Amino acid sequence: MALARENRSAHDGLPPCAAVLRCGIAADGFGCAGLRRGALRRPCHPAFSAAGGEKMKQKWEFHGALCIVATALGADFATGRTLSAFYAQLGGAAWPGVSFAGLAFGLFIAMLSHLARRAGADDVPTLLRRMPGGPMGRGVGALFALVALAAACACILSAGHAGALVLPMWNAGLWSALAALLAALSLSLAGRRALTPAGGVLLGLMGLFELGLLFRAQPPESAVLRFELELRLRNHLPAALGLALLHAAACASVCAGATVRLSGGGVRPSRLGLWSGGLFFVLLAGGNAVLASQREQLLALRLPFVALARGWGVGGFYLSAALCYFAAVLSLAGVAYGLIPRKMMLNYENSTLQD
């Protein structure tokens, strides 16, 4: 009885949810023996409920940004080809371009998310039907869908090329492309619960890979300079900003469907764009730092990151090929996740639950 009175006095003035947080198991101050099911069903204090809802929204916004950026990267980013074409050839002007690309990408994602919420759409087909602006708006939405489909085809080809490089088997590229397509469809049908951890793993591996290349890799001896026309863009700030805007717009078009799908549930478009732009900028800055540390020695290579990873031996080559394949699969999964109608995904989830 003394223990019960002590617990009751300790919880006086607190809402039931705060009492649960303090003692871990008791909601009404009677300890373990006094725990009742009805005590945990009491309505929580509005302040605690609002704080929990805000934290949940921030968590969903960060998870959505992981999916969006993982969809935007693709296999070309994992090989360094994108960074070499859009940033590294510009020399010192590449850093303003990287910053501007992160800002523009975040703004594009926020605008797409706001448009999806305004139209009340949770997938690309629904957004196309409700697109404001009449035929012009629907035409722009159809263009986004075509870009996403083109990116999906490119991801399938990249996965096939990565498999053909490392697998000693007949028609390795074809089988690798089919495996990537099946894996991407499985991830997209699983939805957020599969794409979020997969995107986090990809971004973490990409960051570690860039750090390893920056501090441990040696430049290949066979690298030469690019031809003279591309070297004229060195330190050209307008060209850097234009290429950065083009790259950000292309990446936003690729992940437009995933952005529409991830904009529901009370997600704030501004925060979703902020997280997406920040993660995009961090990965761009890391990759550009890798290429800038080698100066102009890697600009003639089609796969500069793969060439650098060869300095680690055969294991480095296989690691870069596996990362390229993983990036292609996730990009394809993100595109499919945005293009598949929500009704089809709900029917799939219901059938899996019944099984």
Side-chain angles (χ1 to χ4, degrees), residues 255-354:
C255 59
T259 304
V260 172
R261 180 60 60 82
L262 295 167
S263 297
V267 172
R268 295 185 181 179
S270 58
R271 289 184 178 178
L272 183 63
L274 182 63
W275 277 114
S276 302
L279 292 173
F280 192 70
F281 165 74
V282 169
L283 291 174
L284 285 181
N288 187 63
V290 171
L291 297 180
S293 65
Q294 307 297 335
R295 296 185 180 180
E296 299 172 351
Q297 300 184 67
L298 298 180
L299 295 181
L301 302 179
R302 296 183 59 189
L303 309 175
F305 283 179
V306 177
L308 272 178
R310 284 190 308 175
W312 297 337
V314 178
F317 173 75
Y318 282 103
L319 175 63
S320 60
L323 191 60
C324 174
Y325 189 83
F326 187 30
V329 169
L330 276 189
S331 184
L332 181 60
V335 171
Y337 178 62
L339 293 178
I340 295 176
R342 184 171 178 80
K343 292 183 179 180
M344 183 183 298
M345 296 192 66
L346 290 177
N347 294 333
Y348 173 79
E349 292 177 357
N350 293 333
S351 63
T352 55
L353 289 176
Q354 292 175 0

Side-chain angles (χ1 to χ4, degrees), residues 201-226:
V201 170
L202 175 63
L203 298 189
L205 290 176
M206 191 72 70
L208 293 176
F209 184 64
E210 290 177 348
L211 286 176
L213 293 179
L214 182 62
F215 293 107
R216 294 293 182 183
Q218 297 295 328
E221 297 180 358
S222 59
V224 294
L225 296 178
R226 277 186 182 267

Side-chain angles (χ1 to χ4, degrees), residues 91-159:
W95 291 109
V98 166
S99 303
F100 185 67
L103 177 63
F105 182 76
L107 289 175
F108 287 144
I109 296 301
M111 292 170 59
L112 286 170
S113 178
H114 176 73
L115 180 62
R117 290 177 60 83
R118 182 181 177 184
D122 51 9
D123 53 44
V124 171
T126 305
L127 180 62
L128 292 179
R129 291 194 301 268
R130 302 177 182 176
M131 195 79 173
M136 180 65 69
R138 287 190 290 272
V140 173
L143 180 61
F144 273 106
L146 289 176
V147 171
L149 288 175
C153 295
C155 290
I156 294 175
L157 292 176
S158 298

